[in-house]
């Protein structure tokens, strides 16, 4: 698809969606506006697969999450982190002794004796890694083309284009989710949904968010269906506890009114949307009511979201789905301050939620068919600002699933450095230990998309920068398939 055609298609789809949303009206919940417009499609797939994105909003500190453990690297990490820490924050450095229980034992050792452990609060994920059910992607982040530090510093953005608006929270959240800055209307999760909708008898439930509206799940045809951690989002005025409709007769009359046919084209379109939204709410509520999990989940926000994802996966046959993309999230990672006091609790929540979710997929018999991955705005500086760390670029992320070649590190382990010299150790950061990604988001996403069943010829449409990576671009050192599966 050339640029003119793609632009025309995107513009036409955007205008069509805006027309649909204008018909839906602002009085209905966003979940109903977006979810109720899916069209049924014929089912062709014989298996089930789901991708689950766990987004860590705020930019997680990579250096205290997937932590260097070998003697030389840990000593360098400790020296750099301690150098800028104030007296109250000197314990930003986590000792090797504290990391020993979460030491990662890969099937294949890293070069040069490099070793990693997870933050001490992430014992569950460390065990999943060592059991071969999880892996770590090292130093991944948005890239338009492969870059060296010299090319980044050259200022020649025509020859060496950079991701837009680096180090900006909103923009980098959008770039991770859609490969475009804030204002983007289509995400790569939604584009995956576009490609696989035809596998689902009811395409309405192809892309499901448990975390509100997100660009990641918005496609050109696939529109995200939104649930809460408690289940389908109802029409508020139809609930018995709603003060606006205090008795059953009023609720019954209102329900009839919002579904009543009309000769007016806009009102009739609104009615059609409401009917389908109410049917969808009923279908989801009935389907998940029949899925009761024995797996225990900690009662926190992320765990509750992932428990709902597990129940929806358990209801996949009732909802007539064979391919689904989900998104959940947790915030609070923008830790310029209070890194020591706040990050451990956040990472513990991620750890317990992901560990329970994996156990739930085992209980449901689909652990090989569900792949979960983390993402975040960006990594952070290796240097301390006194009580935390500042905005960065590349980061380390987790991939989890029974079908994964786990207990492995993917990508290259970056040297532990933060100086401005021209030595080899300083080529994979852009100052203060801000990692210059060695693996692009496009490579990361393409590897997941292939597993999901997207044909090779469609990957370039989903991931427009992928053409700049891999053998076809003359860059076999930046492979378009990272080999997770």
């Amino acid at each position: 698809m050339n640029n003119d055609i793609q632009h025309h298609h995107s513009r036409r789809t955007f205008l069509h969606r805006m027309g649909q949303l204008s018909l839906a009206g602002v009085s209905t919940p966003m979940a109903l506006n977006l979810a109720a417009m899916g069209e049924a499609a014929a089912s062709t797939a014989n298996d089930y697969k789901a991708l689950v994105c766990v987004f860590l909003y705020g930019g997680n500190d990579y250096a205290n999450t997937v932590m260097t453990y070998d003697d030389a690297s840990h000593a360098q990490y400790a020296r750099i982190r301690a150098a800028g820490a104030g007296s109250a924050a000197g314990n930003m450095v986590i000792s090797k002794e504290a990391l020993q229980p979460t030491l990662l034992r890969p099937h294949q050792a890293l070069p040069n004796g490099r070793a990693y452990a997870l933050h001490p609060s992430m014992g569950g994920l460390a065990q999943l890694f060592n059991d071969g059910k999880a892996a770590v992607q090292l130093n991944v982040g948005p890239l338009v083309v492969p870059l060296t530090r010299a090319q980044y510093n050259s200022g020649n953005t025509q020859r060496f284009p950079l991701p837009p608006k680096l180090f900006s929270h909103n923009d980098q959240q959008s770039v991770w989710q859609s490969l475009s800055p804030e204002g983007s209307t289509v995400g790569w999760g939604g584009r995956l949904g576009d490609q696989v909708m035809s596998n689902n008898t009811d395409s309405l439930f192809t892309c499901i968010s448990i975390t509100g509206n997100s660009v990641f799940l918005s496609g050109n045809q696939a529109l995200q269906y939104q649930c809460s951690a408690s289940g389908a989002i109802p029409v508020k005025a139809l609930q018995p506890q709603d003060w606006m409709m205090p008795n059953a007769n009023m609720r019954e009359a209102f329900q009839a009114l919002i579904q009543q046919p009309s000769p007016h084209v806009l009102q009739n379109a609104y009615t059609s949307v409401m009917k389908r939204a109410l049917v969808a709410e009923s279908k989801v509520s009935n389907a998940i009511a029949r899925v009761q999990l024995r797996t225990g989940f900690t009662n926190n926000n992320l765990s509750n979201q992932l428990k709902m994802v597990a129940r929806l996966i358990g209801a996949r046959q009732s909802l007539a789905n064979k391919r689904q993309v989900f998104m959940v999230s947790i915030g609070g990672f923008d830790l310029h301050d209070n890194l020591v006091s706040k990050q451990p609790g956040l990472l513990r929540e991620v750890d317990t939620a992901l560990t329970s979710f994996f156990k739930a997929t085992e209980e449901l018999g689909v652990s090989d068919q569900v792949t979960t991955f983390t993402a975040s705005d960006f990594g952070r500086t290796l240097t301390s600002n006194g009580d935390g760390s500042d905005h960065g670029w590349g980061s380390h992320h987790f991939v989890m699933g029974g079908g994964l070649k786990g207990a492995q590190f993917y990508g290259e382990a970056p040297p532990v450095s933060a100086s401005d010299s021209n030595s080899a150790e300083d080529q994979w950061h852009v100052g203060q230990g801000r990692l210059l990604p060695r693996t692009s988001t496009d490579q990361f996403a393409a590897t997941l998309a292939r597993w999901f069943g997207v044909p090779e010829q469609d990957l370039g449409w989903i991931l427009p920068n992928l053409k700049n990576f891999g053998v076809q671009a003359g860059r076999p050192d930046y492979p378009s398939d990272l080999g997770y599966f």
Side-chain angles (χ1 to χ4, degrees), residues 252-320:
E252 185 178 342
F254 179 69
Q255 186 164 357
L257 179 65
I258 61 178
Q259 297 182 82
Q260 181 176 313
S262 168
H264 192 287
V265 63
L266 293 179
Q267 185 175 339
N268 212 41
Y270 177 90
T271 299
S272 177
V273 167
M274 287 302 305
K275 282 182 177 179
R276 284 186 283 180
L278 292 170
V279 168
E281 178 200 336
S282 176
K283 189 172 184 178
V284 169
S285 297
N286 290 333
I288 62 175
R290 294 192 288 269
V291 180
Q292 300 302 320
L293 297 170
R294 297 186 304 275
T295 302
F297 281 81
T298 304
N299 184 22
N300 61 47
N301 184 37
L302 186 60
S303 287
N304 291 335
Q305 291 177 59
L306 282 171
K307 184 176 182 180
M308 180 52 58
V309 172
R311 294 179 68 194
L312 287 162
I313 290 172
R316 62 195 179 281
Q317 293 180 341
S318 299
L319 297 175

Side-chain angles (χ1 to χ4, degrees), residues 123-139:
L125 269 173
Q127 189 62 56
L128 283 175
F129 180 100
N130 292 334
D131 288 344
K133 308 302 183 183
V136 171
Q137 173 61 59
L138 296 167
N139 194 13

Side-chain angles (χ1 to χ4, degrees), residues 3 98 172 198 221 223 235 252 261 303 363 372 384 405 464:
N3 289 339
Q172 293 311 298
S198 61
Q221 287 80 39
L223 300 177
V235 176
E252 185 178 342
S303 287
E363 178 186 338
T372 304
S384 167
K405 295 176 184 174

